Amino acid sequence: MKNLTTTAFVSLSLACVVVDATAGVVAPNFGFILQSGGTAVSGSAGDFGSTTNTGPTEWFFHGSCSAMTGTTMSWAYLVDPDPFITGSLSIQNETGIAKSYIIDFVLSISPPMVATLISGQVSGSLTDGNGSGAALLTSTAGGAVYTALADGLFAQALMVNASQSVSTQFGTTSFSGGSFGQPVAIAGPAMNNTIGIRYAFTLSAGDSVSFSSIFVANVPAPGVVALGCIAGLFAHGGRRRRR
Amino acid sequence: MKVNIKNCAVILAGTMSLITSVATAGFTSSGCVYTVTSSAAGGSLSNITTDLSPTAWMNSGGWQTAGSTASVTWVNNIGGWNSVTAAGFMNANIVVRNNTTLTQDFVFTAAMNGTATGSFLISGSLGGEFVNGSGSLGQLTSTGPLWSALFDGVAVRTELNNALLFAPPLQVLSVGNFNFSNIPVSGSIGQQAAIRFSLRLTAGGEVSFTSAFSFQVVPAPAALAVFAVAGLFGSRRRR
């Protein structure tokens, strides 16, 4: 039993090392979907800008997309498939009418997590970009401007039923959209494939908004999980021997 | 009705002045110029310009060092003379990121080329957020004014002159918002009007801004005199 346990421990530890090493070499999938007015533009963030490995498991994506007529979007995100997403998104409505947007940034994660501790935050600024004397940002249909996603499903939301406005020509307002899990992370859902941030809002004509946001899922490191499993096996074995 | 020759001369001079004011108010942008300098390293810059109208352009672009150790991303609109707002304007959404392991300085300038003369009323604003993507306390500071509006490289308005902000690890901090309206500025624009950001970011720091700057040519005093004299004539005629 002892030899078997030792062998399992070594194998699991090696597996953990391999996972970490692989994560540092291959960029994770980090994509976006921009939806507005019944049309959608999507793609890998790296295809619309650049992708850079900035740390053992961290990747930096920055780029811009103006493939949707009348809308220009740019981003700069640091991501880690371990996982977290942190960075900024700015979007400009070039049209003459208010537009509703749903924008998802989704990151593939590794490994899957049964239990998570999560935290997140969003802040932003809104500018009257065309000098009309007004700018308005509202959450669409009373929903949340920021939604943290786990496997595409709701994890947490911020800026629910929100409204921000500018009433001076070429004016700007900054807003803090709040946070969750700060300073102490809160329990989150299981995450098997992806985490993401969804922005859903309506932006007035000719104006621009930027969001800086964070979504972090804290999990025990894979090696610790393995040790925990093995410790559990030892304890279970010990109890059986005592019987 | 008697027409006073002296008044005629004033009217003529005033009308000429008004025409001159209006004619030179047409800030015809012949393009845009972006510059980025950073203590991180030299970088490569790219920009795509889209015509929105004969006098308005949308730009999106970026600058990055080799390996993206540092980057600047922008979306920027430039408006020449706008008959609705009667102003030339530009706005700029920018994101600056420091992926190096050291504190770095950045200076980003978005300029639109053109000329305009006369007295101006300027308006503008900026707001932003500081994201600390590192595991240690992050810091954003201004190096000189963080935000400047420039005529031919000379600041006509500055904001966030002594900015110093700290953000805990993996947190977002609002920089706040700063607005100004209808500030009179004399002089002329011989080459370009611009927005400049000048800042220092600790390792792993990122800052994003939305910003706008407009200038409106106000009629010269002689032109205002024309209106006054015309008003007097009208008043006499009604009597």
Side-chain angles (χ1 to χ4, degrees):
Chain A
M1 176 66 187
K2 189 177 178 183
N3 285 342
L4 183 64
T5 307
T6 306
T7 306
F9 175 76
V10 170
S11 301
L12 277 169
S13 300
L14 279 173
C16 294
V17 169
V18 169
V19 167
D20 281 346
T22 304
V25 174
V26 181
N29 291 323
F30 184 60
F32 70 89
I33 306 169
L34 165 64
Q35 302 174 72
S36 181
T39 61
V41 174
S42 64
S44 169
D47 292 341
F48 291 79
S50 68
T51 308
T52 308
N53 189 194
T54 59
T57 60
E58 292 179 359
W59 298 82
F60 178 62
F61 294 81
H62 83 134
S64 62
C65 173
S66 51
M68 180 175 283
T69 303
T71 298
T72 304
M73 180 174 82
S74 67
W75 60 84
Y77 282 108
L78 184 71
V79 305
D80 187 330
D82 212 7
F84 69 70
I85 299 172
T86 173
S88 300
L89 164 73
S90 74
I91 191 160
Q92 186 145 333
N93 175 6
E94 315 280 356
T95 71
I97 58 170
K99 294 189 77 171
S100 294
Y101 297 100
I102 299 174
I103 307 159
D104 289 358
F105 277 87
V106 178
L107 171 70
S108 295
I109 64 170
S110 174
M113 296 169 287
V114 176
T116 60
L117 293 172
I118 60 174
S119 62
Q121 189 180 7
V122 65
S123 286
S125 61
L126 169 70
T127 293
D128 171 25
N130 62 354
S132 67
L136 182 64
L137 169 81
T138 55
S139 51
T140 305
V145 172
Y146 165 109
T147 303
L149 302 171
D151 295 328
L153 302 175
F154 173 92
Q156 280 290 328
L158 296 169
M159 295 185 72
V160 177
N161 204 14
S163 177
Q164 296 290 332
S165 62
V166 172
S167 56
T168 55
Q169 195 178 45
F170 296 108
T172 293
T173 188
S174 293
F175 52 88
S176 172
S179 65
F180 60 88
Q182 290 181 350
V184 180
I186 60 175
M191 299 175 185
N192 294 307
N193 299 306
T194 64
I195 66 167
I197 297 176
R198 169 172 294 166
Y199 305 91
F201 58 90
T202 301
L203 179 63
S204 48
D207 299 326
S208 58
V209 64
S210 75
F211 299 102
S212 292
S213 52
I214 286 176
F215 180 33
V216 184
N218 293 307
V219 292
V224 174
V225 172
L227 284 174
C229 292
I230 290 162
L233 279 174
F234 268 115
H236 183 63
R239 277 197 298 274
R240 285 178 63 183
R241 277 195 295 273
R242 278 197 294 276
R243 280 180 207 153
Chain B
M1 184 185 128
K2 282 186 180 178
V3 178
N4 186 319
I5 299 295
K6 197 174 175 182
N7 279 350
C8 265
V10 172
I11 293 167
L12 186 62
T15 306
M16 289 294 286
S17 174
L18 183 63
I19 289 170
T20 302
S21 267
V22 172
T24 57
F27 190 99
T28 306
S29 174
S30 54
C32 47
V33 179
Y34 298 93
T35 54
V36 179
T37 57
S38 173
S39 59
S44 58
L45 187 149
S46 62
N47 183 71
I48 299 171
T49 300
T50 306
D51 291 350
L52 298 176
S53 75
T55 58
W57 301 265
M58 188 279 290
N59 297 279
S60 66
W63 169 94
Q64 62 181 335
T65 59
S68 275
T69 53
S71 71
V72 180
T73 310
W74 61 82
V75 175
N76 164 238
N77 270 14
I78 285 178
W81 188 250
N82 182 312
S83 60
V84 177
T85 60
F89 77 94
M90 63 193 308
N91 59 38
N93 300 351
I94 75 158
V95 181
V96 182
R97 175 88 199 181
N98 176 9
N99 282 326
T100 72
T101 55
L102 301 171
T103 296
Q104 302 291 356
D105 289 351
F106 297 86
V107 178
F108 167 74
T109 306
M112 57 177 174
N113 293 330
T115 60
T117 59
S119 297
F120 302 93
L121 291 176
I122 62 170
S123 301
S125 64
L126 83 154
E129 310 88 49
F130 172 36
V131 183
N132 180 11
S134 77
S136 54
L137 188 68
Q139 185 175 324
L140 164 68
T141 51
S142 56
T143 50
L146 194 150
W147 185 94
S148 305
L150 310 168
F151 284 173
D152 295 336
V154 178
V156 292
R157 181 77 184 183
T158 63
E159 300 287 348
L160 275 166
N161 294 323
N162 294 293
L164 174 60
L165 296 99
F166 296 95
L170 287 176
Q171 288 203 19
V172 181
L173 188 73
S174 175
V175 174
N177 52 267
F178 304 85
N179 296 267
F180 59 93
S181 293
N182 296 324
I183 306 295
V185 172
S186 60
S188 61
I189 303 171
Q191 291 181 319
Q192 56 183 212
I195 293 175
R196 182 175 65 202
F197 295 85
S198 185
L199 55 96
R200 179 170 295 154
L201 274 175
T202 47
E206 178 177 304
V207 64
S208 66
F209 294 102
T210 60
S211 177
F213 173 49
S214 82
F215 53 89
Q216 185 165 15
V217 178
V218 293
L224 292 174
V226 169
F227 289 124
V229 172
L232 277 174
F233 267 113
S235 173
R236 281 184 184 175
R237 189 174 295 161
R238 279 193 296 275
R239 278 187 211 154

